[in-house]
Amino acid sequence: MTENGIATTDDTRRSDYTRTALHGLRAAMDDGIDVRGYIHWSLLDNFEWVAGYKPTFGLVAVDRHTFARTPEPSAHWLGALARAGHLTS
């Protein structure tokens, strides 16, 4: 099992980072590494002890005033990838 993610306000960067990480994971699997799962960190923007709510890790943005949750484009991209069952360029 492995996990990764990136704190960024640029959701395009989140998708690119995750795509690159998954290509690396695929290469490790091709080299014989036994990978049983992948978890993206994190589903929701969360509280970080050192930085509070400033870093935005989430595939789903959280409005701290209304508590509304809004899926980021990266969430839709990762969902489509999971449904397809394979990574394309």
Side-chain angles (χ1 to χ4, degrees):
M1 199 64 133
T2 188
E3 70 174 5
N4 80 323
I6 184 173
T8 181
T9 56
D10 179 355
D11 195 60
T12 301
R13 188 169 174 220
R14 180 174 291 107
S15 294
D16 291 344
Y17 175 87
T18 305
R19 181 180 297 106
T20 299
L22 291 174
H23 278 291
L25 186 59
R26 176 77 256 170
M29 292 167 68
D30 290 345
D31 286 344
I33 302 299
D34 181 17
V35 177
R36 307 257 173 132
Y38 169 82
I39 298 172
H40 189 278
W41 179 259
S42 165
L43 174 64
L44 301 172
D45 290 339
N46 59 312
F47 181 83
E48 293 290 318
W49 288 107
V50 174
Y53 289 111
K54 186 171 179 165
T56 54
F57 289 93
L59 294 167
V60 177
V62 178
D63 182 309
R64 294 293 162 200
H65 300 290
T66 66
F67 301 106
R69 271 89 165 148
T70 306
E72 298 281 2
S74 58
H76 297 287
W77 170 80
L78 190 57
L81 182 135
R83 285 188 298 279
H86 59 89
L87 182 61
T88 59
S89 60

